[in-house]
Amino acid sequence: MAEYGAPRTVQAIRARTLPREFVARQAQQPRPPDLTSRLNAWYTRLAAANPAADLETGRRAGARLIIPGSPEWPTQLDQLGRSRPLALWAYGNADLRFSCLTSVAVVGARAATPYGSHIAAQLGVGLSEEGWTVVSGGAYGVDGAAHKGALAADAPTVVVLACGVDICYPGSHERLFASIREQGVLISECPPGVHPTRARFLIRNRLIAALSRGTVVVEAAIRSGALNTASHALFLNRHLGAVPGPVTSAMSAGCHKLLRERKAVCITSPEDMIDLVGALGDDLSPQTRAPAVARDRLNEPTKKVLDAVPTRGGAGPASIAVAAGMNLNATLSALGGLAAAGYIERSANGWRLRKTTTTYRKSPDSVALDPPLTPEPDPTDTPPSPDDFPTPDETHAT
């Protein structure tokens, strides 16, 4: 096919005679193939094929045949080299090439856990909302959840099948595939009427990896077809991500293996995956920040004084100044401001942290650092600084 094209190849098989120069070049290889047995196998398969009937069956079903050079052919498949498909059957309203220009493969276990299905659907929605097409295999578990997430975002999605595009496998995905045909596209190397086999599932995985800019493995056991897709992605120099799971879950063992061997990048959100496969500088994932608390608004000298104030009993300004490593004047100034803001209160023995109401409901850790409810400072006010605090003389006068 690569040297002589489809018409001359078919003609040679029908005549059961290969070009002499081709046979001579093959004979010079270190391990020459048995061309006679291969030619007999090709001849038998060609004799049993009915291309005209396949085209008619596809036409009646609404499918179309795409070949290299067609406007709808995804050119990234050419990177497969000799493993590039000779043609693809497409069944759906979406344009295959346009849909795969910015696409991400979301793969994982068929027997996915609720955690895996949730993450896959979340990735499907998040990626689709940002304009990225989800590519997957249409199977149970992670595949189906990712496709449903894309449909929920009113975006196209691509299903790569291991059977004919007119065969619904798995059977319970009939409604899902019908929705995908309206909004996306089903594709396959197999002609209409062909049923799936174990080998065809592994063969189609190279297409899932090749069609997309990157692959994310949501859940995968140690022996999982999703890891086969991951290996194809690595071979093609595509980006590879993996979602971490519970260390006690066998369904995440494959993901953890990819992460431990540094073959994949840790993915925890759609933004992480877009950051991995997107344009450099344009699709950056936002930096994760800790929630801001009222104490963050204090300047450093005031924070030091606040840290030196005891929780119980009390301490005088001199003791607090020594503990904070501050001079007495600065400490007195900070104490006055902290008292006005509601962080500390006077006791019989000096200053102590103001008590907060204890409840049995678990609250975020930051709540303990917030000022009390009464008096409640205006969050829009500028945080107090030492210059705004009363002078030592004013504090003593008070």
Side-chain angles (χ1 to χ4, degrees):
M1 285 288 294
E3 294 187 33
Y4 301 103
R8 189 174 176 184
T9 300
V10 172
Q11 183 181 3
I13 294 173
R14 283 176 176 165
R16 305 184 77 168
T17 303
L18 297 176
R20 292 182 180 180
E21 64 275 14
F22 177 80
V23 175
R25 285 194 298 270
Q26 295 296 312
Q28 295 175 359
Q29 293 186 6
R31 299 179 62 181
D34 187 353
L35 293 179
T36 301
S37 62
R38 290 191 180 186
L39 182 59
N40 290 334
W42 296 336
Y43 179 82
T44 303
R45 292 184 63 185
L46 182 59
N50 191 343
D54 292 339
L55 290 170
E56 179 60 23
T57 301
R59 186 190 65 79
R60 288 198 303 266
R64 57 194 181 276
L65 185 66
I66 306 172
I67 61 174
S70 299
E72 200 176 348
W73 181 262
T75 55
Q76 60 264 43
L77 292 178
D78 298 342
Q79 297 178 20
L80 289 170
R82 295 179 61 184
S83 298
R84 186 189 72 174
L86 303 179
L88 289 174
W89 294 87
Y91 188 9
N93 293 326
D95 183 280
L96 178 60
R97 181 177 180 275
F98 180 77
S99 298
C100 294
L101 288 177
T102 53
S103 59
V104 171
V106 181
V107 299
R110 287 179 173 84
T113 65
Y115 166 79
S117 297
H118 172 77
I119 296 299
Q122 186 181 55
L123 287 170
V125 172
L127 290 169
S128 299
E129 288 180 342
E130 295 299 323
W132 291 81
T133 300
V134 171
V135 179
S136 195
Y140 289 127
V142 168
D143 291 11
H147 290 306
K148 291 175 183 177
L151 293 175
D154 294 326
T157 182
V158 177
V159 179
V160 184
L161 297 172
C163 56
V165 293
D166 61 334
I167 302 295
C168 183
Y169 185 89
S172 61
H173 278 181
E174 184 174 354
R175 293 182 61 183
L176 174 62
F177 286 179
S179 299
I180 292 175
R181 287 194 296 269
E182 292 294 325
Q183 203 163 302
V185 63
L186 310 175
I187 66 170
S188 176
E189 290 180 272
C190 303
V194 173
H195 290 270
T197 63
R198 181 181 180 84
R200 289 190 179 119
F201 281 110
L202 295 176
I203 292 172
R204 68 92 190 262
N205 287 343
R206 80 191 195 287
L207 299 182
I208 296 177
L211 283 171
S212 53
R213 290 195 188 178
T215 297
V216 55
V217 183
V218 177
E219 273 191 326
I222 291 296
R223 292 178 57 88
S224 172
L227 297 184
N228 178 257
T229 307
S231 66
H232 284 296
L234 292 173
F235 177 77
L236 293 168
N237 291 321
R238 297 290 202 273
H239 297 288
L240 180 62
V243 176
V247 296
T248 55
S249 173
M251 300 312 298
S252 291
C255 296
H256 296 158
K257 184 174 184 292
L258 291 174
L259 294 171
R260 184 176 64 253
E261 295 175 352
R262 299 185 179 181
K263 294 179 178 178
V265 175
C266 181
I267 300 298
T268 61
S269 67
E271 291 76 16
D272 288 350
M273 194 61 195
I274 294 173
D275 181 280
L276 179 63
V277 301
L280 185 64
D282 292 339
D283 299 302
L284 295 177
S285 175
Q287 293 292 326
T288 303
R289 299 182 182 275
V293 297
R295 184 168 179 160
D296 296 336
R297 302 171 64 189
L298 301 177
N299 56 37
E300 287 303 318
T302 307
K303 287 180 182 179
K304 291 181 179 180
V305 172
L306 181 59
D307 289 338
V309 176
T311 304
R312 296 179 180 178
S319 299
I320 296 174
V322 172
M326 304 275 292
N327 61 60
L328 182 60
N329 289 338
T331 301
L332 290 171
S333 178
L335 288 172
L338 290 170
Y343 286 95
I344 61 176
E345 61 183 4
R346 284 189 177 277
S347 68
N349 298 323
W351 292 102
R352 68 181 180 188
L353 294 179
R354 186 166 184 173
K355 295 182 180 179
T356 57
T357 305
T358 303
T359 62
Y360 289 99
R361 181 179 178 181
K362 183 175 176 56
S363 302
D365 294 338
S366 61
V367 171
L369 302 178
D370 289 337
L373 295 179
T374 54
E376 183 178 4
D378 188 345
T380 61
D381 287 345
T382 304
S385 64
D387 295 337
D388 298 329
F389 293 163
T391 64
D393 295 337
E394 293 173 339
T395 303
H396 288 303
T398 302

